[in-house]
Amino acid sequence: MSRILFVLTSHDRKGPADAADAAPSGFYLSEVSHPHKVLSEAGYAVDFISPRGGKTQVDGLDLNDPVNAAFWNTPALRAATENTLMPLQVDPDAYVAIFYAGGHATMWDFPDSAELAAIAARIYERGGVVAAVCHGPAGLVNLKLSDGRYLVDGKDVAAFTNQEERAVGLHDVVPFLLADVLRERGARHVPAPDFQAHVVVSDRLVTGQNPASAAGVAGAMLPLLASAV
């Protein structure tokens, strides 16, 4: 069975680690549960990894969403998010794709995880798929390929927009504006109206703008995975 690596944040708040008064955060549940459903039903196995490994925290715990509830109430899946792999435990050659789930907390730990970036670069350069949704593209901002170029350079991408960041009142809280830094890395950021589902495919990079885009990212991965490594 082909395997896909889901990346969850190890960070637990909307602010730096020493910001005791910061609002709690973590991986955004629907950005994991909805893609997981699409990909697992298509026959892919999913493993979970985080920058530090071990236990992660959840955000967006909306159990009125039946897909969220089914995921969260499945003991093996919930346990997998609480016992994530460390990067050093992972052989990138065992995976056909890597998917960065969002949540505001990703903005503080995804960009500087060189180990995760190396895993993603290896998967991509072997012919696999790199995907991310909402704030998950924070994992792409420092991701370089073996030729030294940023993965996003010259590619179309979607990510949480500056306008959406202002709408949720976190424009001045996040350490950088994701869309701006992706542009600085050479990406063409392609926005859609606030909080509307929006997925962009550029070569074997699949990105989504916000939580509403999560299932669509997984759906857009499927035809690429059919011809991946």
Side-chain angles (χ1 to χ4, degrees):
M1 181 180 289
S2 296
R3 308 192 75 82
I4 297 173
L5 200 57
F6 272 38
V7 187
L8 311 183
T9 179
S10 294
H11 200 61
D12 64 357
R13 65 198 70 190
K14 297 180 177 80
D18 59 357
D21 59 346
S25 187
F27 72 87
Y28 205 78
L29 181 56
S30 66
E31 296 174 22
V32 173
S33 64
H34 286 250
H36 183 274
K37 182 176 189 292
V38 171
L39 294 167
S40 62
E41 288 182 351
Y44 293 93
V46 173
D47 294 328
F48 295 90
I49 186 173
S50 65
R52 295 198 304 265
K55 186 173 176 58
T56 61
Q57 303 298 323
V58 67
D59 201 353
L61 188 62
D62 175 12
L63 298 185
N64 291 318
D65 175 337
V67 178
N68 279 353
F71 182 97
W72 198 244
N73 293 325
T74 299
L77 293 177
R78 186 167 173 180
T81 71
E82 296 175 345
N83 296 276
T84 59
L85 297 167
M86 296 176 62
L88 291 176
Q89 294 176 288
V90 166
D91 174 9
D93 291 351
Y95 296 91
V96 294
I98 186 168
F99 169 79
Y100 289 86
H104 271 90
T106 63
M107 297 287 284
W108 283 271
D109 69 344
F110 276 10
D112 296 325
S113 178
E115 297 89 350
L116 283 173
I119 290 169
R122 173 66 179 171
I123 290 171
Y124 188 82
E125 293 189 316
R126 288 183 63 247
V129 175
V130 174
V133 69
C134 198
H135 289 88
L140 307 178
V141 299
N142 291 321
L143 199 172
K144 290 184 177 181
L145 301 176
S146 58
D147 63 3
R149 294 183 60 186
Y150 290 107
L151 170 65
V152 299
D153 187 13
K155 294 186 175 65
D156 296 332
V157 299
F160 207 64
T161 68
N162 294 354
Q163 193 165 310
E164 286 171 322
E165 207 69 85
R166 290 186 182 95
V168 299
L170 293 169
H171 181 265
D172 294 324
V173 174
V174 290
F176 58 91
L177 293 174
L178 184 52
D180 288 355
V181 174
L182 288 167
R183 289 190 195 99
E184 290 171 8
R185 301 300 193 249
R188 294 182 292 268
H189 179 250
V190 183
D194 289 3
F195 308 112
Q196 298 301 303
H198 179 52
V199 176
V200 173
V201 179
S202 192
D203 191 29
R204 284 171 287 107
L205 176 65
V206 184
T207 48
Q209 180 168 312
N210 46 39
S213 312
V217 168
M221 292 170 67
L222 292 176
L224 299 175
L225 290 167
S227 57
V229 291

